[in-house]
Amino acid sequence: MAKQKRTRALATAAALAGSAVLMAAPAARAEVVNVNYQCKTPIGDKSAVSPIDIKGVESGGGYKITMSWQKGVSSSPVDLGKGAMNPSATIKLGGADSGTMNVTGPANQAVVPANTPIKINDLTGTYTPKKSGKVTFTAGVLTIKALGTTTTCTPTNSPGASLTLDVTAASGSSGGTQSDSGTGGSGAELPQTGPEDSAIALGTLGGTVLLAGAAGALWLTRRNQAARVRH
């Protein structure tokens, strides 16, 4: 009997542990994706494949998104001195959201030797959910500005998403349509308040005073006429 109770207790504990594991399942899924970049450079077209890693960390009302390159892309025919190269990129949004977001990063902190793959520093940006649901993040166009030139590298192999986040939009930012607060002639118009209304009121008051003055003058005229007749 004691053995059966012990067995049941162990089974219950195992079931609870399994439930805890399911409840603690992460709301994000990330994987490294190989991206085939085709680059338009000042010295011609170049290509390179780099594994791309995108991570998201909740920050305030949004997420801090970090994009990392595990291999260098493109190259320069001359040395790039410290701070000579400025990278930026776009990330495509999918799933519950759409469009793109921008990520930027610091300039190169060390000299990039000529004719060697350019290693891109981590690029970061802030994503604020407009809709709730699962949102995917996929590598977009990489832009490298150096020595007055611009190189653009575009993925050509339709890479899959590097990150999927289960996000919740802030209140009032669900992306739904907003209703018009105007009356639109569907009912009686509300009374106006403000300078125009005041002008109308003053005009009415002035008209009343004018009519009263005219009436008084007419009454005085008739009275004088009657007095002259009696005399």
Side-chain angles (χ1 to χ4, degrees), residues 107-220:
N108 58 304
Q109 299 172 350
V111 175
V112 179
N115 301 314
T116 61
I118 297 175
K119 177 67 172 69
I120 306 298
N121 291 326
D122 289 354
L123 305 183
T124 60
T126 299
Y127 169 70
T128 302
K130 297 188 292 292
K131 295 182 179 180
S132 298
K134 293 186 182 298
V135 178
T136 60
F137 299 77
T138 304
V141 177
L142 167 67
T143 301
I144 302 172
K145 293 185 177 182
L147 303 178
T149 66
T150 299
T151 294
T152 56
C153 299
T154 305
T156 59
N157 60 331
S158 300
S162 296
L163 174 68
T164 301
L165 285 178
D166 194 353
V167 304
T168 301
S171 177
S173 302
S174 60
T177 56
Q178 296 181 350
S179 60
D180 189 355
S181 59
T183 56
S186 58
E189 293 186 1
L190 296 174
Q192 294 180 340
T193 59
E196 185 177 354
D197 201 32
S198 300
I200 293 172
L202 289 174
T204 303
L205 177 61
T208 303
V209 172
L210 179 63
L211 289 174
L218 181 62
W219 180 78
L220 288 175

Side-chain angles (χ1 to χ4, degrees), residues 41-56:
T41 80
I43 58 173
D45 295 348
K46 294 182 177 294
S47 63
V49 176
S50 177
I52 299 297
D53 183 22
I54 300 177
K55 290 185 173 62

Side-chain angles (χ1 to χ4, degrees), residues 32-35 37 49-53 68-73 162:
V32 177
V33 175
N34 288 327
V35 178
Y37 283 106
V49 176
S50 177
I52 299 297
D53 183 22
S68 303
W69 280 258
Q70 296 188 5
K71 288 184 179 180
V73 297
S162 296

Side-chain angles (χ1 to χ4, degrees), residues 220-231:
L220 288 175
T221 301
R222 287 180 177 177
R223 184 179 180 184
N224 291 335
Q225 289 175 351
R228 282 198 296 271
V229 169
R230 285 197 298 270
H231 288 302

